[in-house]
Amino acid sequence: MPDSATLPIIDLADLDRGDDARKALLDRLRTVTHEIGFFHLAGHGIEESSARRLIASSREFFALPEVDKLEIENSYSPHFRGYTRVGGEHTQGYIDWREQLDIGPEREAVTDIDPTRPWEVLHGPNQWPSQVPRLREESLDWITRCSEVGMRLLRAWAESLGAPAVFFDDAFAEPDPLLKIARYPGHDGAVTNQGVGSHKDVGALTLLYPEPGSGGFQVERDGAWLDVDPLPGHFIVNIGELLEFATGGYLKATVHRVLPPPAGSDRVSLPFFLNPGLDKALPTVELPDDLAAAAKGVGTDVHGGTLHSVYGLNALKSRLRAHPNVTDRYHTDLARSFDR
């Protein structure tokens, strides 16, 4: 299967096509994630019809009057769940030009936060739009199916690095996945030139399903920005800071961004983030000598802050930065004390 103009293609079905195909897949997965940290994913087993249904329901929600969408605004959620209006999220201190829903595991809120476990503020229920009731079932089903794909990838990465396939499994016994359903309205650049500003993802891996025909997604490579056009039926996959941390920098969490579409158009995308439990760190992989020699070590995040091995600390620093309305309403003391 040929590569796209900018990213390699990984066919996950090669894991089940015999020993030779499996070995070639593992070698290719390790190489492309070391070199660029991004690829297109085929053979994942999720039907395009599932994505079309979720995108259609999402568009129905985003077409509601603003007053209806704001009934589930994230400012009502100390857990950073629910709707974020256009311009309500920031990356590197600048306004992101998108609206979105943040959806995570359905859990009870922690009422008495242990100061040594500040990430517990992220535990809590989702907010759902009453006007589009099917969005709840479709979103939770998408999270379940993407989690299964993500775990297959994690096990493949472990094998490709010389570890047992189940090497990362314990950290994901009670994972903390996150689905963002994002709509990017067209923009003329008068307020901001970013749909989402340049960043690395803070978890383990990301499965992005862009609306077919959409553009604007860019990956940084060797100081230049590469345009990544979606391929029908494929995910765009990248690793997050936790896998970079677990491999001493051998696998690469790559900076990326999204540009707003032209004025008069819009696009919807489904970024899904597979993360371990909030209190978990990924175990460090003992790399073979030849791979260890190519590991560049773990640096700071793109904001110049600390890259944490415990997922909850990475997640919390990201939410406190990105959603000032929630931070200012519920977490001012935490924001002052937390190293962001």
Side-chain angles (χ1 to χ4, degrees):
M1 183 179 293
D3 291 345
S4 74
T6 55
L7 293 184
I9 296 173
I10 296 290
D11 188 348
L12 197 57
D14 283 344
L15 288 174
D16 303 316
R17 289 178 174 145
D19 292 344
D20 290 345
R22 183 183 183 86
K23 183 182 184 305
L25 179 282
L26 295 177
D27 289 345
R28 183 167 169 78
L29 177 66
R30 182 186 62 248
T31 298
V32 301
T33 319
H34 169 64
E35 291 179 348
I36 188 170
F38 270 86
F39 55 88
H40 295 287
L41 182 68
H44 47 74
I46 299 179
E47 302 86 355
E48 287 187 65
S49 58
S50 296
R52 287 196 297 269
R53 285 194 298 270
L54 181 53
I55 289 172
S57 299
S58 302
R59 281 198 167 276
E60 185 176 338
F61 169 75
F62 289 127
L64 293 172
E66 186 81 351
V67 65
D68 293 334
K69 292 184 286 189
L70 291 176
E71 288 180 358
I72 60 168
E73 189 177 23
N74 64 350
S75 58
Y76 298 118
S77 169
H79 326 294
F80 298 87
R81 305 288 181 86
Y83 174 69
T84 301
R85 68 181 77 193
V86 174
E89 186 178 30
H90 295 177
T91 300
Q92 297 209 57
Y94 296 98
I95 293 172
D96 291 329
W97 204 253
R98 68 176 178 181
E99 57 180 335
Q100 66 184 33
L101 281 170
D102 280 84
I103 301 163
E106 289 282 14
R107 292 184 177 140
E108 294 293 326
V110 177
T111 56
D112 188 13
I113 303 298
D114 181 342
T116 67
R117 297 166 58 86
W119 53 79
E120 289 183 335
V121 301
L122 301 177
H123 283 298
N126 293 300
Q127 298 191 88
W128 300 105
S130 59
Q131 300 92 338
V132 192
R134 69 180 183 277
L135 191 58
R136 183 183 191 278
E137 179 181 354
E138 291 172 353
S139 298
L140 294 177
D141 179 66
W142 189 259
I143 288 174
T144 296
R145 301 186 73 181
C146 286
S147 295
E148 293 169 352
V149 174
M151 288 306 301
R152 289 198 76 198
L153 275 170
L154 277 174
R155 290 166 183 151
W157 264 307
E159 283 192 76
S160 78
L161 297 166
V166 297
F167 186 75
F168 297 117
D169 279 21
D170 285 351
F172 292 85
E174 293 186 38
D176 197 75
L178 176 67
L179 169 64
K180 286 181 179 285
I181 300 176
R183 174 182 172 265
Y184 296 87
H187 193 260
D188 61 6
V191 176
T192 180
N193 62 358
Q194 64 185 39
V196 173
S198 59
H199 65 284
K200 295 180 180 181
D201 293 341
V202 300
L205 68 91
T206 304
L207 298 171
L208 171 66
Y209 196 97
E211 192 169 30
S214 62
F217 189 83
Q218 295 186 323
V219 173
E220 186 180 46
R221 187 172 191 184
D222 300 326
W225 288 106
L226 302 180
D227 292 311
V228 177
D229 294 324
L231 299 178
H234 291 61
F235 284 98
I236 297 171
V237 181
N238 64 284
I239 71 162
E241 292 174 332
L242 293 185
L243 272 178
E244 181 175 319
F245 202 102
T247 61
Y250 178 79
L251 296 186
K252 182 178 180 180
T254 303
V255 175
H256 53 286
R257 68 183 183 184
V258 182
L259 303 179
S265 64
D266 72 345
R267 63 173 175 267
V268 171
S269 66
L270 307 173
F272 167 81
F273 307 90
L274 180 62
N275 309 305
L278 288 167
D279 60 346
K280 300 296 185 181
L282 296 190
T284 301
V285 181
E286 186 174 346
L287 297 171
D289 290 345
D290 58 331
L291 303 186
K296 298 178 180 179
V298 180
T300 61
D301 69 15
V302 293
H303 303 268
T306 302
L307 196 163
H308 300 283
S309 60
V310 174
Y311 169 63
L313 293 175
N314 268 349
L316 184 56
K317 74 175 181 182
S318 175
R319 308 290 175 80
L320 291 170
R321 289 168 173 166
H323 299 285
N325 61 321
V326 180
T327 300
D328 293 345
R329 185 169 186 176
Y330 300 104
H331 305 304
T332 53
D333 290 344
L334 182 59
R336 282 194 293 267
S337 63
F338 189 76
D339 174 18
R340 293 187 283 167

